[in-house]
Amino acid sequence: MTKTVLGAALVAGVAGCSGKPEAKAPPPPREVQVVALAPHEVRDTGEYLGSLLSRQSVTVLPQVNGYVRKILVKPGQKVEAGTPLIEVDAREETAALDSAQAQQSSSTVELELARRTLARTESLNREGLASVQELERAQAAVKAAEAASRAAGATVAQRQVQLQFHVVRAPFAGTMGDVLVRVGDFVSATTTLTTVAQADALEVSVSVPAFRARSLKPDTQLELLDQQGKVILTSTVFYVAPQTDPRTQLVEVKAAFRNTVGLRPSELLRARLVYSTRDALQIPALAVVRQSGQPFAMVVEKKDGKTVVERRPVALGTLGDMSYVVEGGLKQGDLVAVSSLHMLRDGMPVIPKQVTLKNDESPQPRGNARADEVPTNAQRPRTASGGGGTTGGSR
């Protein structure tokens, strides 16, 4: 019985070795997500470090010498034009004004007496009781009294103006800076008291390379960005320096705007200049694969009645938020795969599923994108430091 079993097993083994293996069925086509390429607005931009300047900012100095008697405001306080800020000791000037007013009263009395004397002398001269010499003397006395009265009035006006300088007032409406003096301090015409700045109207100053400044126009758009790169204020350029800084070879550019987001003068922040706009194809960054530094896109197309993927080399431009500008290798309407890229091979059959990526992944492929959603030439990959660039440097 043992021999019979072994013989049967041997026959079965020989039969198995001589038989042909069964052919495996090919795997079904893989489903991949694809995006249709369409032209969108692309902006040629440059990002720089901007400095905010107050269009109205002044350092307050006294116009007289003396001791500080009162401080009428606090740092950070909002004031209107003409608001008293600081009082300087004016007792000496007040006494001088009282003296000038007394002198003016005396000259007024003398002028009145001279006019009465002239009237009596003229009456006596007509009756022949006063000589011509006496009449001329009376007329000269009136003129002298009039001159003395005018001089006294001018002295009073001068003292009054000088007295007003002892109260330092705000030249315009704005916000107070730090008060640098204290009650009892002696101040002179060169002593800095405080500052007044108007933060409602600000201007931003940026320095751009000379070759970029040549393409600027008076209506060039300038955008102020927050730390996340979002646009917080938009304005247009009103000033482009007529000459280049000989040391840095940069050109100063300015734009004015209404401060509605609480920015402060002398603050540094990111600024973006929009040099030009154009329509161009864009490909999501996640749809690009690289081999030896060469970028490729997996394009879905029909071949021999099958839907397959083709690895196609592409020429890429600048990187925006999450997409590249396509400079060559692709055309409008091409379907590029955006999923399972590591599983796809050239000529592999697939089942395409067209999708629309969300705004936080890449620009939407349909319609006209808004200006603040399309990628720009200035938005390059951020470094690990996350800095906002250097003055005059384009990102």
Short mmCIF file of all heavy atoms in Angstrom, two decimals, residues 55-118:
data_model
loop_
_atom_site.label_atom_id
_atom_site.label_comp_id
_atom_site.label_asym_id
_atom_site.label_seq_id
_atom_site.Cartn_x
_atom_site.Cartn_y
_atom_site.Cartn_z
N ARG A 55 2.51 111.06 7.15
CA ARG A 55 2.51 112.20 6.23
C ARG A 55 2.50 113.51 7.01
O ARG A 55 2.81 114.55 6.45
CB ARG A 55 1.29 112.14 5.31
CG ARG A 55 1.18 110.84 4.53
CD ARG A 55 0.43 111.01 3.26
NE ARG A 55 1.25 111.69 2.26
CZ ARG A 55 0.81 112.04 1.05
NH1 ARG A 55 -0.44 111.79 0.72
NH2 ARG A 55 1.59 112.64 0.20
N GLN A 56 2.13 113.46 8.28
CA GLN A 56 2.19 114.62 9.15
C GLN A 56 2.76 114.19 10.49
O GLN A 56 2.09 113.55 11.29
CB GLN A 56 0.80 115.25 9.34
CG GLN A 56 0.34 116.10 8.16
CD GLN A 56 -0.88 116.93 8.50
OE1 GLN A 56 -1.83 116.43 9.09
NE2 GLN A 56 -0.87 118.18 8.14
N SER A 57 4.01 114.51 10.70
CA SER A 57 4.69 114.18 11.95
C SER A 57 5.66 115.29 12.27
O SER A 57 6.39 115.75 11.38
CB SER A 57 5.42 112.84 11.83
OG SER A 57 6.11 112.54 13.01
N VAL A 58 5.67 115.77 13.51
CA VAL A 58 6.50 116.91 13.88
C VAL A 58 7.08 116.69 15.27
O VAL A 58 6.45 116.09 16.15
CB VAL A 58 5.68 118.22 13.84
CG1 VAL A 58 4.59 118.22 14.89
CG2 VAL A 58 6.58 119.44 13.99
N THR A 59 8.29 117.16 15.45
CA THR A 59 8.93 117.21 16.76
C THR A 59 8.65 118.57 17.37
O THR A 59 8.96 119.60 16.76
CB THR A 59 10.44 116.98 16.65
OG1 THR A 59 10.67 115.68 16.09
CG2 THR A 59 11.10 117.05 18.02
N VAL A 60 8.07 118.59 18.55
CA VAL A 60 7.62 119.84 19.17
C VAL A 60 8.78 120.43 19.98
O VAL A 60 9.32 119.76 20.88
CB VAL A 60 6.39 119.60 20.07
CG1 VAL A 60 5.95 120.91 20.71
CG2 VAL A 60 5.26 118.99 19.25
N LEU A 61 9.13 121.69 19.69
CA LEU A 61 10.16 122.44 20.41
C LEU A 61 9.56 123.73 20.94
O LEU A 61 8.66 124.31 20.33
CB LEU A 61 11.34 122.78 19.48
CG LEU A 61 12.03 121.61 18.76
CD1 LEU A 61 13.09 122.14 17.80
CD2 LEU A 61 12.67 120.68 19.77
N PRO A 62 10.05 124.23 22.07
CA PRO A 62 9.55 125.52 22.58
C PRO A 62 10.17 126.67 21.79
O PRO A 62 11.22 126.53 21.16
CB PRO A 62 10.02 125.53 24.04
CG PRO A 62 11.26 124.69 24.02
CD PRO A 62 11.03 123.62 22.99
N GLN A 63 9.52 127.79 21.81
CA GLN A 63 10.03 128.99 21.13
C GLN A 63 10.59 130.01 22.11
O GLN A 63 11.03 131.08 21.70
CB GLN A 63 8.91 129.63 20.29
CG GLN A 63 8.47 128.75 19.12
CD GLN A 63 7.38 129.41 18.30
OE1 GLN A 63 6.20 129.22 18.57
NE2 GLN A 63 7.77 130.19 17.32
N VAL A 64 10.54 129.67 23.40
CA VAL A 64 11.05 130.58 24.43
C VAL A 64 11.87 129.77 25.44
O VAL A 64 11.79 128.54 25.48
CB VAL A 64 9.90 131.31 25.15
CG1 VAL A 64 9.17 132.25 24.21
CG2 VAL A 64 8.93 130.31 25.78
N ASN A 65 12.63 130.47 26.23
CA ASN A 65 13.38 129.86 27.32
C ASN A 65 12.61 130.00 28.62
O ASN A 65 11.94 131.02 28.84
CB ASN A 65 14.76 130.49 27.46
CG ASN A 65 15.59 130.35 26.20
OD1 ASN A 65 15.36 129.46 25.39
ND2 ASN A 65 16.57 131.24 26.04
N GLY A 66 12.71 129.00 29.48
CA GLY A 66 12.04 129.10 30.77
C GLY A 66 11.88 127.74 31.42
O GLY A 66 12.33 126.71 30.90
N TYR A 67 11.21 127.75 32.56
CA TYR A 67 10.97 126.52 33.31
C TYR A 67 9.57 125.98 33.00
O TYR A 67 8.62 126.75 32.86
CB TYR A 67 11.10 126.78 34.81
CG TYR A 67 12.52 127.09 35.24
CD1 TYR A 67 12.96 128.41 35.32
CD2 TYR A 67 13.42 126.08 35.54
CE1 TYR A 67 14.26 128.71 35.70
CE2 TYR A 67 14.72 126.37 35.92
CZ TYR A 67 15.14 127.69 35.99
OH TYR A 67 16.43 127.97 36.36
N VAL A 68 9.45 124.67 32.90
CA VAL A 68 8.16 124.03 32.63
C VAL A 68 7.29 124.15 33.88
O VAL A 68 7.69 123.71 34.96
CB VAL A 68 8.34 122.56 32.24
CG1 VAL A 68 6.99 121.88 32.05
CG2 VAL A 68 9.17 122.45 30.96
N ARG A 69 6.12 124.74 33.72
CA ARG A 69 5.20 124.91 34.86
C ARG A 69 4.08 123.87 34.85
O ARG A 69 3.67 123.39 35.90
CB ARG A 69 4.58 126.30 34.84
CG ARG A 69 5.57 127.43 35.05
CD ARG A 69 4.87 128.73 35.36
NE ARG A 69 4.16 128.65 36.65
CZ ARG A 69 3.35 129.59 37.11
NH1 ARG A 69 3.13 130.69 36.40
NH2 ARG A 69 2.76 129.45 38.28
N LYS A 70 3.57 123.51 33.65
CA LYS A 70 2.47 122.55 33.57
C LYS A 70 2.66 121.66 32.34
O LYS A 70 3.13 122.11 31.29
CB LYS A 70 1.11 123.26 33.46
CG LYS A 70 0.69 124.01 34.70
CD LYS A 70 -0.69 124.63 34.50
CE LYS A 70 -1.14 125.41 35.73
NZ LYS A 70 -2.48 126.03 35.51
N ILE A 71 2.28 120.40 32.48
CA ILE A 71 2.20 119.46 31.37
C ILE A 71 0.74 119.06 31.25
O ILE A 71 0.17 118.44 32.15
CB ILE A 71 3.10 118.23 31.59
CG1 ILE A 71 4.56 118.67 31.68
CG2 ILE A 71 2.92 117.22 30.46
CD1 ILE A 71 5.52 117.54 31.98
N LEU A 72 0.11 119.43 30.16
CA LEU A 72 -1.34 119.34 30.02
C LEU A 72 -1.81 118.12 29.27
O LEU A 72 -3.03 117.92 29.12
CB LEU A 72 -1.86 120.60 29.31
CG LEU A 72 -1.43 121.93 29.96
CD1 LEU A 72 -1.86 123.10 29.10
CD2 LEU A 72 -2.00 122.04 31.36
N VAL A 73 -0.91 117.27 28.77
CA VAL A 73 -1.30 116.08 28.01
C VAL A 73 -0.52 114.87 28.52
O VAL A 73 0.43 115.01 29.29
CB VAL A 73 -1.04 116.28 26.49
CG1 VAL A 73 -1.97 117.33 25.91
CG2 VAL A 73 0.41 116.65 26.24
N LYS A 74 -0.93 113.70 28.02
CA LYS A 74 -0.26 112.45 28.37
C LYS A 74 0.23 111.76 27.10
O LYS A 74 -0.36 111.94 26.03
CB LYS A 74 -1.22 111.52 29.12
CG LYS A 74 -1.70 112.08 30.45
CD LYS A 74 -2.66 111.10 31.11
CE LYS A 74 -3.16 111.64 32.44
NZ LYS A 74 -4.11 110.71 33.10
N PRO A 75 1.29 110.98 27.20
CA PRO A 75 1.75 110.24 26.02
C PRO A 75 0.66 109.33 25.47
O PRO A 75 -0.06 108.68 26.21
CB PRO A 75 2.94 109.43 26.55
CG PRO A 75 3.41 110.18 27.75
CD PRO A 75 2.18 110.78 28.36
N GLY A 76 0.53 109.32 24.14
CA GLY A 76 -0.48 108.51 23.49
C GLY A 76 -1.84 109.15 23.39
O GLY A 76 -2.76 108.58 22.79
N GLN A 77 -2.01 110.34 23.96
CA GLN A 77 -3.30 111.01 23.93
C GLN A 77 -3.56 111.60 22.55
O GLN A 77 -2.66 112.14 21.90
CB GLN A 77 -3.33 112.11 24.99
CG GLN A 77 -4.62 112.92 25.02
CD GLN A 77 -4.59 113.98 26.11
OE1 GLN A 77 -3.86 113.85 27.09
NE2 GLN A 77 -5.36 115.04 25.92
N LYS A 78 -4.79 111.51 22.07
CA LYS A 78 -5.18 112.12 20.81
C LYS A 78 -5.56 113.58 21.07
O LYS A 78 -6.33 113.86 22.00
CB LYS A 78 -6.34 111.37 20.16
CG LYS A 78 -5.98 109.96 19.72
CD LYS A 78 -7.10 109.32 18.97
CE LYS A 78 -6.73 107.91 18.49
NZ LYS A 78 -5.63 107.94 17.53
N VAL A 79 -5.03 114.48 20.27
CA VAL A 79 -5.27 115.90 20.47
C VAL A 79 -5.76 116.52 19.17
O VAL A 79 -5.52 115.99 18.08
CB VAL A 79 -3.98 116.62 20.94
CG1 VAL A 79 -3.55 116.11 22.30
CG2 VAL A 79 -2.85 116.42 19.93
N GLU A 80 -6.43 117.63 19.30
CA GLU A 80 -6.88 118.41 18.15
C GLU A 80 -5.89 119.53 17.89
O GLU A 80 -5.04 119.85 18.74
CB GLU A 80 -8.28 118.97 18.39
CG GLU A 80 -9.35 117.91 18.61
CD GLU A 80 -9.56 117.04 17.38
OE1 GLU A 80 -9.36 117.56 16.27
OE2 GLU A 80 -9.94 115.87 17.54
N ALA A 81 -6.00 120.13 16.72
CA ALA A 81 -5.12 121.25 16.37
C ALA A 81 -5.34 122.40 17.35
O ALA A 81 -6.47 122.79 17.64
CB ALA A 81 -5.39 121.71 14.93
N GLY A 82 -4.26 122.96 17.89
CA GLY A 82 -4.35 124.07 18.82
C GLY A 82 -4.50 123.67 20.27
O GLY A 82 -4.57 124.55 21.15
N THR A 83 -4.52 122.38 20.57
CA THR A 83 -4.66 121.94 21.96
C THR A 83 -3.41 122.30 22.76
O THR A 83 -2.29 122.02 22.33
CB THR A 83 -4.87 120.42 22.03
OG1 THR A 83 -6.04 120.07 21.29
CG2 THR A 83 -5.01 119.95 23.46
N PRO A 84 -3.54 122.96 23.94
CA PRO A 84 -2.36 123.27 24.76
C PRO A 84 -1.68 121.99 25.23
O PRO A 84 -2.33 121.06 25.71
CB PRO A 84 -2.94 124.06 25.94
CG PRO A 84 -4.26 124.57 25.46
CD PRO A 84 -4.78 123.54 24.52
N LEU A 85 -0.37 121.95 25.08
CA LEU A 85 0.39 120.77 25.46
C LEU A 85 1.21 121.01 26.72
O LEU A 85 1.13 120.24 27.67
CB LEU A 85 1.32 120.35 24.31
CG LEU A 85 0.68 120.15 22.94
CD1 LEU A 85 1.74 119.78 21.91
CD2 LEU A 85 -0.41 119.10 23.00
N ILE A 86 2.01 122.07 26.74
CA ILE A 86 2.93 122.36 27.83
C ILE A 86 2.96 123.87 28.06
O ILE A 86 2.93 124.65 27.11
CB ILE A 86 4.35 121.83 27.52
CG1 ILE A 86 4.34 120.30 27.45
CG2 ILE A 86 5.36 122.32 28.54
CD1 ILE A 86 5.66 119.71 27.02
N GLU A 87 3.00 124.26 29.34
CA GLU A 87 3.13 125.67 29.70
C GLU A 87 4.53 125.93 30.24
O GLU A 87 5.02 125.19 31.11
CB GLU A 87 2.10 126.07 30.75
CG GLU A 87 0.69 126.22 30.22
CD GLU A 87 -0.25 126.80 31.25
OE1 GLU A 87 0.25 127.28 32.30
OE2 GLU A 87 -1.48 126.77 31.03
N VAL A 88 5.17 126.98 29.72
CA VAL A 88 6.47 127.43 30.19
C VAL A 88 6.28 128.68 31.03
O VAL A 88 5.41 129.52 30.73
CB VAL A 88 7.41 127.70 28.99
CG1 VAL A 88 8.79 128.15 29.46
CG2 VAL A 88 7.54 126.44 28.13
N ASP A 89 7.07 128.81 32.08
CA ASP A 89 6.94 129.96 33.00
C ASP A 89 6.91 131.27 32.22
O ASP A 89 7.83 131.59 31.47
CB ASP A 89 8.11 129.95 33.97
CG ASP A 89 7.95 131.01 35.06
OD1 ASP A 89 6.87 131.63 35.11
OD2 ASP A 89 8.90 131.21 35.82
N ALA A 90 5.81 132.04 32.42
CA ALA A 90 5.61 133.28 31.66
C ALA A 90 5.47 134.49 32.57
O ALA A 90 4.98 135.55 32.12
CB ALA A 90 4.37 133.15 30.77
N ARG A 91 5.89 134.41 33.82
CA ARG A 91 5.71 135.54 34.73
C ARG A 91 6.52 136.75 34.29
O ARG A 91 6.04 137.89 34.35
CB ARG A 91 6.10 135.12 36.16
CG ARG A 91 5.10 134.16 36.80
CD ARG A 91 5.58 133.67 38.14
NE ARG A 91 6.76 132.81 37.99
CZ ARG A 91 7.39 132.25 39.02
NH1 ARG A 91 6.94 132.46 40.27
NH2 ARG A 91 8.44 131.48 38.84
N GLU A 92 7.70 136.53 33.83
CA GLU A 92 8.52 137.66 33.37
C GLU A 92 7.91 138.30 32.14
O GLU A 92 7.85 139.54 32.03
CB GLU A 92 9.93 137.17 33.07
CG GLU A 92 10.89 138.28 32.64
CD GLU A 92 12.29 137.77 32.39
OE1 GLU A 92 12.58 136.60 32.73
OE2 GLU A 92 13.11 138.53 31.85
N GLU A 93 7.42 137.50 31.24
CA GLU A 93 6.82 138.04 30.02
C GLU A 93 5.49 138.73 30.33
O GLU A 93 5.14 139.74 29.71
CB GLU A 93 6.59 136.91 29.01
CG GLU A 93 6.29 137.38 27.60
CD GLU A 93 7.43 138.20 27.02
OE1 GLU A 93 8.60 137.82 27.22
OE2 GLU A 93 7.14 139.22 26.38
N THR A 94 4.76 138.22 31.33
CA THR A 94 3.51 138.87 31.73
C THR A 94 3.79 140.26 32.31
O THR A 94 3.07 141.24 32.03
CB THR A 94 2.78 138.00 32.76
OG1 THR A 94 2.51 136.72 32.19
CG2 THR A 94 1.48 138.65 33.18
N ALA A 95 4.85 140.36 33.12
CA ALA A 95 5.21 141.67 33.67
C ALA A 95 5.64 142.62 32.56
O ALA A 95 5.30 143.83 32.59
CB ALA A 95 6.34 141.50 34.68
N ALA A 96 6.38 142.11 31.60
CA ALA A 96 6.79 142.98 30.48
C ALA A 96 5.58 143.44 29.69
O ALA A 96 5.53 144.59 29.21
CB ALA A 96 7.77 142.23 29.59
N LEU A 97 4.57 142.58 29.53
CA LEU A 97 3.35 142.97 28.83
C LEU A 97 2.60 144.04 29.61
O LEU A 97 2.09 145.02 29.02
CB LEU A 97 2.47 141.75 28.60
CG LEU A 97 1.11 142.01 27.96
CD1 LEU A 97 1.27 142.63 26.57
CD2 LEU A 97 0.29 140.72 27.86
N ASP A 98 2.52 143.90 30.93
CA ASP A 98 1.86 144.92 31.75
C ASP A 98 2.55 146.27 31.60
O ASP A 98 1.90 147.33 31.50
CB ASP A 98 1.83 144.49 33.21
CG ASP A 98 0.94 143.28 33.43
OD1 ASP A 98 0.08 143.02 32.56
OD2 ASP A 98 1.11 142.59 34.46
N SER A 99 3.89 146.24 31.58
CA SER A 99 4.65 147.48 31.41
C SER A 99 4.38 148.11 30.05
O SER A 99 4.21 149.34 29.93
CB SER A 99 6.14 147.21 31.59
OG SER A 99 6.91 148.37 31.34
N ALA A 100 4.34 147.29 29.02
CA ALA A 100 4.08 147.82 27.67
C ALA A 100 2.67 148.38 27.57
O ALA A 100 2.45 149.43 26.92
CB ALA A 100 4.28 146.71 26.65
N GLN A 101 1.70 147.75 28.21
CA GLN A 101 0.33 148.26 28.18
C GLN A 101 0.23 149.59 28.93
O GLN A 101 -0.50 150.50 28.51
CB GLN A 101 -0.61 147.22 28.77
CG GLN A 101 -0.80 145.99 27.88
CD GLN A 101 -1.65 144.92 28.53
OE1 GLN A 101 -1.77 144.87 29.77
NE2 GLN A 101 -2.23 144.04 27.73
N ALA A 102 0.98 149.71 30.04
CA ALA A 102 0.99 150.99 30.76
C ALA A 102 1.61 152.09 29.91
O ALA A 102 1.11 153.23 29.88
CB ALA A 102 1.75 150.83 32.08
N GLN A 103 2.69 151.77 29.22
CA GLN A 103 3.32 152.74 28.33
C GLN A 103 2.37 153.15 27.21
O GLN A 103 2.32 154.31 26.81
CB GLN A 103 4.60 152.16 27.76
CG GLN A 103 5.40 153.12 26.89
CD GLN A 103 5.95 154.29 27.68
OE1 GLN A 103 6.25 154.16 28.89
NE2 GLN A 103 6.06 155.45 27.06
N GLN A 104 1.60 152.17 26.73
CA GLN A 104 0.64 152.48 25.68
C GLN A 104 -0.45 153.42 26.22
O GLN A 104 -0.87 154.37 25.52
CB GLN A 104 0.00 151.20 25.15
CG GLN A 104 -0.96 151.42 23.99
CD GLN A 104 -1.63 150.14 23.54
OE1 GLN A 104 -1.81 149.22 24.35
NE2 GLN A 104 -1.99 150.07 22.27
N SER A 105 -0.90 153.20 27.43
CA SER A 105 -1.91 154.10 28.02
C SER A 105 -1.35 155.50 28.18
O SER A 105 -2.02 156.51 27.90
CB SER A 105 -2.37 153.55 29.37
OG SER A 105 -2.95 152.27 29.22
N SER A 106 -0.09 155.60 28.62
CA SER A 106 0.54 156.93 28.79
C SER A 106 0.66 157.65 27.46
O SER A 106 0.38 158.85 27.36
CB SER A 106 1.92 156.76 29.43
OG SER A 106 2.59 158.01 29.51
N SER A 107 1.07 156.93 26.42
CA SER A 107 1.20 157.57 25.11
C SER A 107 -0.14 157.97 24.55
O SER A 107 -0.27 158.99 23.85
CB SER A 107 1.91 156.62 24.14
OG SER A 107 1.16 155.42 23.99
N THR A 108 -1.19 157.23 24.89
CA THR A 108 -2.54 157.60 24.43
C THR A 108 -3.00 158.90 25.08
O THR A 108 -3.58 159.78 24.43
CB THR A 108 -3.53 156.47 24.76
OG1 THR A 108 -3.11 155.26 24.12
CG2 THR A 108 -4.93 156.82 24.29
N VAL A 109 -2.70 159.02 26.38
CA VAL A 109 -3.06 160.27 27.09
C VAL A 109 -2.28 161.45 26.51
O VAL A 109 -2.83 162.54 26.28
CB VAL A 109 -2.81 160.12 28.60
CG1 VAL A 109 -2.99 161.45 29.31
CG2 VAL A 109 -3.75 159.07 29.19
N GLU A 110 -0.99 161.27 26.27
CA GLU A 110 -0.17 162.35 25.71
C GLU A 110 -0.64 162.72 24.31
O GLU A 110 -0.62 163.91 23.94
CB GLU A 110 1.29 161.92 25.68
CG GLU A 110 1.92 161.78 27.07
CD GLU A 110 3.37 161.33 26.99
OE1 GLU A 110 3.85 161.08 25.86
OE2 GLU A 110 4.01 161.19 28.06
N LEU A 111 -1.06 161.76 23.56
CA LEU A 111 -1.57 162.06 22.21
C LEU A 111 -2.86 162.87 22.31
O LEU A 111 -3.05 163.85 21.54
CB LEU A 111 -1.82 160.76 21.46
CG LEU A 111 -2.48 160.88 20.07
CD1 LEU A 111 -1.62 161.74 19.15
CD2 LEU A 111 -2.74 159.51 19.47
N GLU A 112 -3.73 162.51 23.24
CA GLU A 112 -4.98 163.27 23.40
C GLU A 112 -4.69 164.71 23.82
O GLU A 112 -5.31 165.67 23.32
CB GLU A 112 -5.87 162.57 24.42
CG GLU A 112 -7.24 163.21 24.61
CD GLU A 112 -8.10 163.13 23.38
OE1 GLU A 112 -7.88 162.23 22.53
OE2 GLU A 112 -9.02 163.98 23.24
N LEU A 113 -3.73 164.89 24.74
CA LEU A 113 -3.37 166.24 25.18
C LEU A 113 -2.76 167.04 24.04
O LEU A 113 -3.08 168.24 23.86
CB LEU A 113 -2.38 166.15 26.34
CG LEU A 113 -1.85 167.48 26.88
CD1 LEU A 113 -2.99 168.37 27.39
CD2 LEU A 113 -0.81 167.24 27.96
N ALA A 114 -1.92 166.40 23.22
CA ALA A 114 -1.31 167.11 22.09
C ALA A 114 -2.35 167.53 21.08
O ALA A 114 -2.27 168.63 20.50
CB ALA A 114 -0.25 166.21 21.44
N ARG A 115 -3.34 166.72 20.85
CA ARG A 115 -4.41 167.09 19.90
C ARG A 115 -5.24 168.26 20.43
O ARG A 115 -5.63 169.15 19.67
CB ARG A 115 -5.29 165.87 19.64
CG ARG A 115 -4.61 164.81 18.76
CD ARG A 115 -5.45 163.58 18.63
NE ARG A 115 -4.83 162.60 17.70
CZ ARG A 115 -5.29 161.37 17.51
NH1 ARG A 115 -6.36 160.96 18.22
NH2 ARG A 115 -4.68 160.58 16.66
N ARG A 116 -5.54 168.28 21.71
CA ARG A 116 -6.29 169.41 22.28
C ARG A 116 -5.48 170.69 22.20
O ARG A 116 -6.01 171.78 21.89
CB ARG A 116 -6.66 169.11 23.73
CG ARG A 116 -7.70 167.99 23.88
CD ARG A 116 -7.99 167.73 25.35
NE ARG A 116 -8.97 166.66 25.52
CZ ARG A 116 -9.37 166.19 26.68
NH1 ARG A 116 -8.84 166.70 27.81
NH2 ARG A 116 -10.26 165.23 26.75
N THR A 117 -4.17 170.58 22.51
CA THR A 117 -3.30 171.77 22.43
C THR A 117 -3.26 172.29 21.00
O THR A 117 -3.28 173.53 20.76
CB THR A 117 -1.89 171.41 22.91
OG1 THR A 117 -1.97 170.93 24.26
CG2 THR A 117 -0.98 172.62 22.85
N LEU A 118 -3.20 171.39 20.02
CA LEU A 118 -3.18 171.81 18.63
C LEU A 118 -4.49 172.51 18.26
O LEU A 118 -4.48 173.53 17.55
CB LEU A 118 -2.96 170.59 17.72
CG LEU A 118 -3.03 170.87 16.21
CD1 LEU A 118 -1.95 171.88 15.81
CD2 LEU A 118 -2.88 169.58 15.41
#
